[in-house]
């Protein structure tokens, strides 16, 4: 393993840890400003990070560039609120694992290979084991986690469209800024208690991962990046235990392990199909890898 790959792996692990620790820190603000307040502050922090990096000239945007960007803004607003509300109700590890089904679903969508069907079956089984539906289950929290997953899947699809029409991070930067404006009424009503937690969450879960991913994707192959995305549910569960005292039961860990295994299978299958597609028709299947490896920090 080369030194650059080793450094890339270390950076990916650091980015994932920062992301989930930031989410745990943000949860400490819930008693003061609620999930909506945390999301509002996070969106402002994310916009403050992305706008200087991308410097979009919105006056030159055409309608074909505006419509996916506007939809991204709506997706960001819903994804963040649903995820943080789910974290408040069912805990960090469970919420992030459920949200992780979004990119996994995109990776598996339309596949007819046995490996991908096996991955889908493992993921479905993992969700059942994770939740173990019963009278005491928080179905609203689970539903919000799944809503966040659907939004993450929509983000990947929309980001492909917007990314093909706008260079760099212009689309996410403008979408995040619009999403922050949508939360302006919330910002005007929150008090200072908990804002420091929310700002710290924005820095750890937005600024650090954005910068890390921009660096990492220059040094490691997309397949490796996709595999290492699987550590997010695990790190989220550990952050919940360490920083929030959210002790998970055996079936939670078993469900998380199944979802992680399903992602690893999906990434490996995508890599194999990409090479087959390149042999037969260059570039035909490469987007399936992007479904897993697309940068995702609007939500987590």
């Amino acid at each position: 393993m080369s030194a650059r790959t080793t450094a890339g792996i270390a950076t990916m692990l650091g980015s994932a840890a920062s992301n989930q620790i930031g989410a745990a820190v943000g949860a400490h603000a819930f008693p003061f400003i609620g999930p909506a307040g945390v999301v509002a502050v996070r969106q402002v922090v994310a916009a403050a990070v992305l706008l200087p990096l991308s410097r979009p000239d919105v006056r030159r945007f055409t309608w074909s560039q505006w419509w996916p960007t506007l939809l991204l803004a709506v997706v960001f607003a819903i994804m963040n609120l649903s995820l943080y509300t789910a974290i408040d109700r069912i805990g960090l590890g469970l919420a992030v694992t459920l949200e992780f089904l979004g990119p996994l679903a995109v990776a598996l969508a339309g596949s007819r290979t046995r490996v991908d069907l096996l991955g889908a079956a493992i993921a479905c089984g993992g969700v059942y084991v994770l939740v173990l539906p019963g009278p005491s289950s928080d179905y609203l929290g689970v539903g919000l986690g799944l809503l966040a997953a659907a939004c993450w899947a929509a983000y990947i699809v929309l980001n492909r469209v917007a990314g093909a029409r706008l260079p760099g991070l212009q689309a996410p930067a403008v979408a995040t800024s619009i999403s922050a404006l949508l939360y302006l009424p919330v910002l005007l009503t929150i008090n200072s208690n908990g804002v420091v937690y929310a700002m710290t969450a924005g820095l750890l879960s937005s600024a650090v991962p954005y910068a890390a991913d921009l660096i990492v994707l220059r040094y490691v192959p997309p397949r490796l990046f996709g595999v290492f995305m699987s550590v997010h549910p695990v790190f989220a569960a550990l952050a919940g235990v360490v920083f929030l005292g959210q002790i998970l039961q055996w079936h939670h860990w078993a469900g998380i392990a199944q979802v992680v295994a399903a992602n690893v299978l999906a990434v490996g299958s995508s890599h194999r199909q990409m090479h087959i597609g390149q042999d037969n028709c260059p570039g035909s299947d490469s987007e399936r890898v992007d479904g897993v490896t697309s940068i995702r920090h609007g939500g987590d």
Side-chain angles (χ1 to χ4, degrees):
M1 185 180 296
S2 68
R4 293 177 65 172
T5 301
T6 302
I9 291 173
T11 304
M12 285 188 289
L13 292 174
S15 173
S18 175
N19 203 335
Q20 302 311 327
I21 291 172
V25 171
H28 284 289
F30 290 165
F32 304 104
I33 59 178
V38 175
V39 172
V41 175
R42 266 206 58 186
Q43 294 297 86
V44 171
V45 172
V49 171
L50 288 176
L51 285 176
L53 287 175
S54 60
R55 298 181 180 179
D57 187 355
V58 296
R59 295 171 297 179
R60 296 186 178 183
F61 279 24
T62 64
W63 176 242
S64 66
Q65 295 170 326
W66 266 116
W67 73 258
T69 303
L70 292 173
L71 288 178
L72 271 177
V74 175
V75 166
F76 281 164
I78 298 174
M79 177 167 58
N80 284 282
L81 182 59
S82 57
L83 175 63
Y84 271 81
T85 306
I87 290 172
D88 191 31
R89 297 184 67 93
I90 62 176
L92 181 59
L94 275 67
V96 170
T97 302
L98 291 172
E99 188 202 28
F100 194 73
L101 296 173
L104 178 58
V106 173
L108 295 172
S111 173
R112 294 179 176 84
T113 67
R114 293 180 179 179
V115 173
D116 284 346
L117 291 176
L118 175 62
I122 291 174
C124 290
V127 172
Y128 180 84
V129 173
L130 184 71
V131 176
L132 281 187
S136 61
S137 298
D138 189 332
Y139 291 108
L140 178 57
V142 171
L144 289 168
L146 294 175
L147 176 59
C151 288
W152 193 353
Y155 160 74
I156 292 171
V157 175
L158 288 169
N159 202 41
R160 287 177 183 169
V161 177
R165 301 175 183 181
L166 288 167
L169 294 170
Q170 290 191 24
V174 175
T176 303
S177 302
I178 295 172
S179 180
L181 290 176
L182 294 175
Y183 278 97
L184 185 59
V186 177
L187 285 170
L188 295 176
T189 60
I190 63 177
N191 55 50
S192 59
N193 294 329
V195 171
V196 173
Y197 284 125
M199 291 182 66
T200 303
L203 290 172
L204 293 178
S205 296
S206 296
V208 171
Y210 277 136
D213 285 351
L214 286 173
I215 295 171
V216 164
L217 288 171
R218 298 175 184 173
Y219 300 115
V220 301
R223 181 174 63 92
L224 185 60
F225 185 88
V227 170
F228 269 84
M229 276 189 67
S230 301
V231 305
H232 280 269
V234 178
F235 278 19
L238 293 174
V241 172
V242 174
F243 295 99
L244 301 174
Q246 297 172 346
I247 306 301
L248 300 183
Q249 300 179 26
W250 69 267
H251 66 90
H252 296 143
W253 289 109
I256 290 171
Q258 286 184 245
V259 172
V260 168
N263 180 72
V264 174
L265 277 176
V267 173
S269 177
S270 295
H271 181 63
R272 288 190 295 273
Q273 291 191 35
M274 180 184 69
H275 279 290
I276 293 173
Q278 287 175 339
D279 291 338
N280 297 326
C281 179
S284 61
D285 267 337
S286 60
E287 283 192 348
R288 293 192 66 246
V289 176
D290 293 339
V292 182
T293 62
S294 179
I295 297 176
R296 71 282 174 208
H297 297 293
D300 351 296

